[in-house]
Amino acid sequence: MVVNTIAELKRLLKKARSENQSIGLVPTMGFLHDGHLSLIEQATRENDIVVVSIFVNPTQFGPNEDFETYPRDMETDTKLATEAGADIIFNPSVSEMYPDESSTWVTTDGHITSILCGVSRPIHFKGVTTVVNMLFNIVAPDRAYFGQKDAQQAAVLTKMVRDLHIDVQLIICPIVREADGLALSSRNTYLNNEERKQATILSQSLQLALDEYNNGETATDKLVKIVKDNIMSMPLANIEYVNIYAYPSLTEINPIEDTSIVAVAARFGKTRLIDNVILKKRK
Amino acid sequence: MVVNTIAELKRLLKKARSENQSIGLVPTMGFLHDGHLSLIEQATRENDIVVVSIFVNPTQFGPNEDFETYPRDMETDTKLATEAGADIIFNPSVSEMYPDESSTWVTTDGHITSILCGVSRPIHFKGVTTVVNMLFNIVAPDRAYFGQKDAQQAAVLTKMVRDLHIDVQLIICPIVREADGLALSSRNTYLNNEERKQATILSQSLQLALDEYNNGETATDKLVKIVKDNIMSMPLANIEYVNIYAYPSLTEINPIEDTSIVAVAARFGKTRLIDNVILKKRK
């Protein structure tokens, strides 16, 4: 069932809540792939009602980014989300979410939003925290599901939920990959054949870092160098960053003594891809 | 019943909500007067459970303002709030509301927060919108009660609730006044005898403007001049602003053709007082 207005969605959920049904929310920007579907399936197992939001949120795109061209396919999305177990697909317009003269923002300030993707996308997380806050206010979910692929987003939202005392359980689900290792992303559709082939270097390089860490290497600079050198072996790859931080705090760490993340962003042609791997704290 | 932790409050309210009881919230900074008590009494009439929060919120005070000296009296407040019908008095510590490295803010940008009190108190409304958002997340009230005395606050919170799609009904209650017209405020306790006597000029001047409006005057500059001239007749009064805006949008209006507000801020000695009157749209 597709719902386009906030009023209608609130009306439906009010009824569910008065019957003490649990509500799971899966926020997406649509063009659903198996990564999204794994979130919907998990939400379906853990909640009575599952709401999948499909909203390409303009405020998380910078002025020169791909808001206009971001892939959209509501017909296929509706079919896929429903098959995966979604009860309600919430697909609001931009003016429904941001009515005239909307000017209220939720921002998580500091290191956590200024590093990694925050460097090249300075307004991105402000858009994310604002729209996710809106969705939480509208849906009041018991649980909300996000992918580990957007690791910084997951860390920022974890902090936002803690800081604002939001009554929701965030559930961060594993990255889903193609057979050759490429992390699923709606933006993979932008890649041409050669770019698509070379993009596998990201997951391969992260796997190398994980292997080295498991073999005893804990110096962040050495692990970062391994990943960078490896990615640069591909002529079409342009590295934006390779960094290691404690996770999910995203604080500096060196040597690695706690659970941490190796996070990478790189361009292949015009397409910007991100990927990451968690290095678990040693027992 | 006094509750100091967010976890305990959420536990109590979860039970109430599962029984479909309605929840009213009255956010205060304590040192309760009859204005606060009128909010609590109305909340008690309209809800099954009433939560009164008492929290002197540091983030809405500027560096040279009265956070440290703001009057506090939890013992009397607990007695008064309970007598007025409060079921739960929520009195968290600063570190409970703003845990270590808290850095998430809710801001309503634009004209509405930059005029009136926003001029001399540039960070004030950022603190208000953030803490009220936290309280809404913690309590998830059906209704929240605020006084019309803080008219700009009421307007800003109305916009915040609209912009972020928060599922709460804001109820703005009339100003409660002393017999001589002075609007009740916890800060009135700062006034010495002579200041207290002269401070009645605020409500008298606003009444004059209301009378002139009711007699047909709709030019904002003329009404503003009447109020200013009148206040300046008191030697201890220092006017910070006298303005007329459409209400609750707080947009410019001249002549007055819609419901509007005459808002005033003035100092008597070191004590800053605010007051206002609504000019209702003519039928």
Side-chain angles (χ1 to χ4, degrees), chain A residues 6 10 18 20 96-97 99-109 134 137-138 159-160 162-167, chain B residues 6 10 18 20 96-97 99-109 134 137-138 159-160 162-167:
Chain A
I6 294 167
K10 282 191 176 177
S18 73
N20 286 322
E96 180 77 7
M97 292 295 278
D100 273 0
E101 299 175 41
S102 184
S103 71
T104 303
W105 299 96
V106 179
T107 49
T108 296
D109 293 343
M134 288 176 177
N137 287 332
I138 294 166
K159 187 170 193 320
M160 176 189 86
R162 185 202 80 131
D163 287 356
L164 294 183
H165 312 294
I166 300 175
D167 209 6
Chain B
I6 294 166
K10 282 191 176 178
S18 74
N20 286 323
E96 180 76 7
M97 292 296 276
D100 272 0
E101 300 175 42
S102 185
S103 70
T104 302
W105 300 96
V106 179
T107 50
T108 296
D109 294 343
M134 288 177 177
N137 287 332
I138 294 166
K159 187 169 193 323
M160 176 189 86
R162 185 203 80 132
D163 286 356
L164 294 183
H165 312 294
I166 301 174
D167 210 5

Side-chain angles (χ1 to χ4, degrees), chain B:
Chain B
M1 175 197 229
V2 178
V3 172
N4 299 113
T5 68
I6 294 166
E8 172 70 359
L9 181 58
K10 282 191 176 178
R11 196 186 62 73
L12 288 167
L13 294 176
K14 190 166 192 165
K15 187 167 173 303
R17 212 170 292 113
S18 74
E19 295 163 355
N20 286 323
Q21 296 195 69
S22 62
I23 299 170
L25 170 68
V26 185
T28 83
M29 298 210 302
F31 212 71
L32 302 180
H33 52 61
D34 285 349
H36 299 112
L37 300 181
S38 74
L39 303 180
I40 299 171
E41 285 159 7
Q42 183 166 345
T44 301
R45 288 194 296 275
E46 297 176 349
N47 301 275
D48 298 320
I49 302 271
V50 171
V51 179
V52 175
S53 63
I54 297 183
F55 180 61
V56 184
N57 175 36
T59 66
Q60 71 190 69
F61 290 81
N64 297 315
E65 292 182 357
D66 56 345
F67 172 67
E68 295 296 340
T69 56
Y70 195 87
R72 292 158 168 93
D73 183 349
M74 261 309 284
E75 198 174 326
T76 307
D77 283 351
T78 302
K79 188 168 169 295
L80 291 173
T82 305
E83 283 170 5
D87 299 289
I88 299 173
I89 296 160
F90 178 50
N91 180 226
S93 66
V94 171
S95 65
E96 180 76 7
M97 292 296 276
Y98 296 95
D100 272 0
E101 300 175 42
S102 185
S103 70
T104 302
W105 300 96
V106 179
T107 50
T108 296
D109 294 343
H111 183 73
I112 198 168
T113 47
S114 58
I115 58 170
L116 301 175
C117 293
V119 176
S120 68
R121 310 187 74 189
I123 66 157
H124 174 68
F125 290 109
K126 177 180 177 177
V128 170
T129 45
T130 299
V131 79
V132 170
N133 216 279
M134 288 177 177
L135 289 168
F136 286 172
N137 287 332
I138 294 166
V139 175
D142 296 276
R143 298 173 195 83
Y145 298 79
F146 296 89
Q148 179 62 37
K149 203 199 117 232
D150 300 313
Q152 189 176 11
Q153 169 177 281
V156 171
L157 292 177
T158 298
K159 187 169 193 323
M160 176 189 86
V161 163
R162 185 203 80 132
D163 286 356
L164 294 183
H165 312 294
I166 301 174
D167 210 5
V168 65
Q169 190 184 352
L170 293 193
I171 295 173
I172 311 303
C173 303
I175 300 177
V176 177
R177 299 180 180 280
E178 301 280 5
D180 65 3
L182 181 69
L184 295 194
S185 165
S186 305
R187 289 187 171 100
N188 290 348
T189 186
Y190 298 151
L191 298 166
N192 68 28
N193 285 347
E194 189 51 33
E195 290 162 353
R196 169 66 186 81
K197 213 180 291 175
Q198 296 195 17
T200 57
I201 195 66
L202 297 184
S203 59
Q204 287 167 19
S205 307
L206 292 169
Q207 183 61 49
L208 265 182
L210 177 61
D211 293 344
E212 286 299 308
Y213 175 72
N214 287 337
N215 288 337
E217 182 61 74
T218 60
T220 61
D221 52 344
K222 288 190 183 160
L223 292 169
V224 163
K225 188 172 186 314
I226 288 167
V227 176
K228 281 189 172 168
D229 287 351
N230 214 255
I231 294 174
M232 286 194 293
S233 71
M234 287 296 170
L236 294 179
N238 274 301
I239 295 175
E240 185 180 301
Y241 64 73
V242 177
N243 286 113
I244 297 178
Y245 289 108
Y247 196 80
S249 67
L250 293 183
T251 49
E252 306 279 349
I253 190 169
N254 188 19
I256 300 168
E257 291 170 335
D258 219 331
T259 295
S260 63
I261 189 168
V262 190
V264 44
R267 283 174 195 281
F268 294 81
K270 288 182 175 173
T271 304
R272 183 178 179 279
L273 300 179
I274 59 174
D275 200 352
N276 66 81
V277 67
I278 300 289
L279 308 181
K280 290 212 178 109
K281 182 181 181 172
R282 291 207 173 75
K283 301 278 158 68

Side-chain angles (χ1 to χ4, degrees), chain A residues 53-69:
Chain A
S53 63
I54 297 183
F55 179 63
V56 184
N57 174 37
T59 67
Q60 71 190 68
F61 290 79
N64 298 315
E65 292 182 358
D66 56 346
F67 172 66
E68 295 296 338
T69 57

